[in-house]
Amino acid sequence: MFFVSLIPIRSGSPGEDSERSDAARNRERLLVAARELLDECGVGSLTMDKLAVRAGVGKGTVFRRFGSKAGLMMTLLSDAEADFQRKFMFGPPPLGPGAPPLERLVAFGSGRIGYILEFGDLARLAETSTRNKFEVPAVLLWHSHLEMLLRAAGMNADPYLMAGALSATLDTDRILHAVRAQGITPERLAESWRELVTRVVRQD
Amino acid sequence: MFFVSLIPIRSGSPGEDSERSDAARNRERLLVAARELLDECGVGSLTMDKLAVRAGVGKGTVFRRFGSKAGLMMTLLSDAEADFQRKFMFGPPPLGPGAPPLERLVAFGSGRIGYILEFGDLARLAETSTRNKFEVPAVLLWHSHLEMLLRAAGMNADPYLMAGALSATLDTDRILHAVRAQGITPERLAESWRELVTRVVRQD
DNA sequence: ATAAGATCCGGACCGCAGTCCGTTTAGATC
DNA sequence: GATCTAAACGGACTGCGGTCCGGATCTTAT
């Protein structure tokens, strides 16, 4: 068994322990500049060079602070991500605890679809890391949450891999492609997810 | 309903209609050089510059012939891909026609897992196209094949999206990560797929 | 054979993410 | 306030996929 911290996202907050003042200032400048550029030009034309110029810092500084473009995106997403995590771990049912496992599974799918529709462009970039997209802490947390729900629902056929399979079904690219390129409504996607998990957990 | 040609892959064969002789010669040189470089250096260190030098052609020629790195990979994969397509469309049961739909679904998963384990590195690169990885002809064919099998098995809950969901489960990156980084055996993956499709098509 | 013209060639060029390293600066110590 | 050091800075640099266009080459018509 492995452990995933509650909110496993590196925070962009200034109160980080032992960070030099200029470093904190530059981080803040970069985050502000990044949000501005995203608002103005869209996610497609955000480059690390432009960002550095806009923030008035050197390019090296950008990468020292965030490691990579994906790392920057994760930081930008951290608030929304933490919010979603809180909802499915501690929030009200059916997404949070209190509802039967199957209902929580269904709600998780809807929630994640909504999350992707709102932050999909950032999330997609956050996944194109040098590291594998499966090793992102948030993804590991989703996975273990699904696995927990599957076990709670009585699933006894390799819940670990089954959680991975269900997780793949909610892949960011797939959802975005379905909605944007194929014109499939989020409701239809959510309904399909409901069918899927219902059939998967149904006991013999 | 849409139509997917049997072997929807652009072939690297020299008999292509109306191609200038130097063009055909260079395509052949490039394919040979690409296979040599892949054998010698591995897929990770194949760059388009190296390839051009090795084949003794200009870089522009590489991109005119194959459009992109992904296009080159698709061409390199076309034989293996066509072979797999023939097997699940016309080959012997349980993968080919003749077996019950559920058995064909199960066999399709095993077959695809095997395919990925053999050609995964190339396939992964072939998917990182400028175009969306869902619009690759081969992927469309797999999808419609799964949809057909689901319908044949009596699935009546949005077979189109359900086929997409199952397809996502067999995602190249996911399978490779499971086997290589997590040490999960292909047999266990195949068994999990069997469980999944069995539960999905089971009628009420 | 030769001329015309469509096709193809090659390598300089671009934009991008990410790295490197000499220089600067924050902040702790005296 | 002077000094010292670890940390941060910045921008030139690399390697990559992909584009561009003037010039070379194959093919066809005459």
Side-chain angles (χ1 to χ4, degrees):
Chain A
M1 195 54 192
F2 61 92
F3 178 70
V4 180
S5 68
L6 171 56
I7 307 295
I9 307 164
R10 185 75 22 237
S11 165
S13 61
E16 210 74 5
D17 58 329
S18 75
E19 180 172 65
R20 242 169 66 168
S21 61
D22 50 351
R25 172 175 45 83
N26 283 334
R27 158 180 293 137
E28 215 49 43
R29 277 189 193 172
L30 282 166
L31 289 176
V32 169
R35 292 212 170 84
E36 286 174 1
L37 284 177
L38 285 175
D39 283 353
E40 293 169 15
C41 311
V43 64
S45 57
L46 173 67
T47 72
M48 299 305 255
D49 290 85
K50 280 193 213 167
L51 175 60
V53 171
R54 176 70 165 247
V57 304
K59 197 177 180 181
T61 300
V62 185
F63 283 90
R64 198 169 328 97
R65 284 281 86 78
F66 301 105
S68 66
K69 193 173 184 177
L72 169 65
M73 296 305 171
M74 283 189 230
T75 303
L76 287 176
L77 274 174
S78 62
D79 282 350
E81 176 61 34
D83 186 55
F84 181 51
Q85 290 181 7
R86 266 189 296 268
K87 279 183 189 161
F88 71 69
M89 292 183 75
F90 307 112
L95 188 53
L102 177 55
E103 284 180 34
R104 291 189 72 189
L105 278 167
V106 171
F108 184 86
S110 301
R112 178 130 167 70
I113 290 169
Y115 178 84
I116 289 171
L117 292 182
E118 192 167 356
F119 306 106
D121 292 301
L122 288 187
R124 157 182 272 164
L125 276 182
E127 286 167 8
T128 55
S129 171
T130 46
R131 280 213 173 100
N132 205 303
K133 74 174 179 180
F134 302 103
E135 284 159 8
V136 173
V139 172
L140 293 177
L141 183 59
W142 295 337
H143 183 281
S144 72
H145 183 66
L146 285 178
E147 184 183 355
M148 181 273 289
L149 290 177
L150 286 178
R151 289 185 193 278
M155 152 78 58
N156 49 13
D158 211 332
Y160 181 77
L161 283 188
M162 208 58 92
L166 291 181
S167 204
T169 287
L170 296 174
D171 175 70
T172 307
D173 278 342
R174 197 178 89 89
I175 302 295
L176 283 180
H177 181 256
V179 173
R180 293 183 183 168
Q182 302 188 305
I184 292 169
T185 65
E187 292 74 26
R188 190 172 156 207
L189 281 171
E191 170 60 20
S192 179
W193 165 264
R194 197 188 63 73
E195 282 283 350
L196 179 65
V197 292
T198 301
R199 289 162 188 251
V200 163
V201 304
R202 194 165 44 190
Q203 290 306 291
D204 336 43
Chain B
M1 193 55 191
F2 61 93
F3 177 72
V4 181
S5 69
L6 170 58
I7 308 295
I9 309 163
R10 183 79 19 240
S11 165
S13 61
E16 211 76 3
D17 59 329
S18 75
E19 178 171 68
R20 244 171 66 169
S21 60
D22 49 351
R25 172 177 46 83
N26 282 335
R27 158 179 295 138
E28 215 48 44
R29 276 189 193 171
L30 282 166
L31 289 176
V32 169
R35 292 214 169 81
E36 286 174 0
L37 284 177
L38 286 175
D39 284 353
E40 294 169 14
C41 310
V43 65
S45 57
L46 172 67
T47 72
M48 299 304 255
D49 290 85
K50 279 193 212 167
L51 175 60
V53 171
R54 176 70 164 249
V57 304
K59 196 177 179 181
T61 302
V62 186
F63 282 91
R64 198 170 327 96
R65 284 282 83 79
F66 301 106
S68 65
K69 192 172 186 179
L72 169 64
M73 295 306 171
M74 283 190 227
T75 304
L76 288 175
L77 273 175
S78 63
D79 283 350
E81 175 61 35
D83 186 54
F84 181 52
Q85 290 182 7
R86 267 189 296 269
K87 279 183 188 161
F88 73 68
M89 292 184 75
F90 308 112
L95 188 53
L102 177 54
E103 284 181 32
R104 291 189 72 188
L105 278 168
V106 171
F108 183 86
S110 301
R112 178 130 169 70
I113 289 169
Y115 178 85
I116 289 172
L117 292 181
E118 193 165 356
F119 306 106
D121 293 302
L122 288 186
R124 156 183 273 167
L125 276 182
E127 286 167 8
T128 55
S129 171
T130 45
R131 279 214 172 97
N132 207 303
K133 75 174 181 181
F134 303 102
E135 284 159 8
V136 174
V139 172
L140 293 177
L141 184 59
W142 295 339
H143 184 280
S144 72
H145 183 66
L146 285 178
E147 183 184 356
M148 181 272 289
L149 290 178
L150 285 178
R151 289 185 192 278
M155 152 76 58
N156 48 14
D158 211 333
Y160 181 77
L161 284 188
M162 207 58 91
L166 291 181
S167 205
T169 287
L170 296 173
D171 174 70
T172 308
D173 278 343
R174 198 179 87 89
I175 302 294
L176 284 180
H177 181 257
V179 173
R180 293 183 183 169
Q182 303 186 304
I184 292 168
T185 65
E187 292 75 24
R188 188 171 157 208
L189 280 172
E191 170 59 19
S192 178
W193 165 264
R194 197 187 64 72
E195 282 283 350
L196 179 65
V197 292
T198 301
R199 288 161 188 252
V200 163
V201 304
R202 194 166 41 189
Q203 290 306 290
D204 336 43

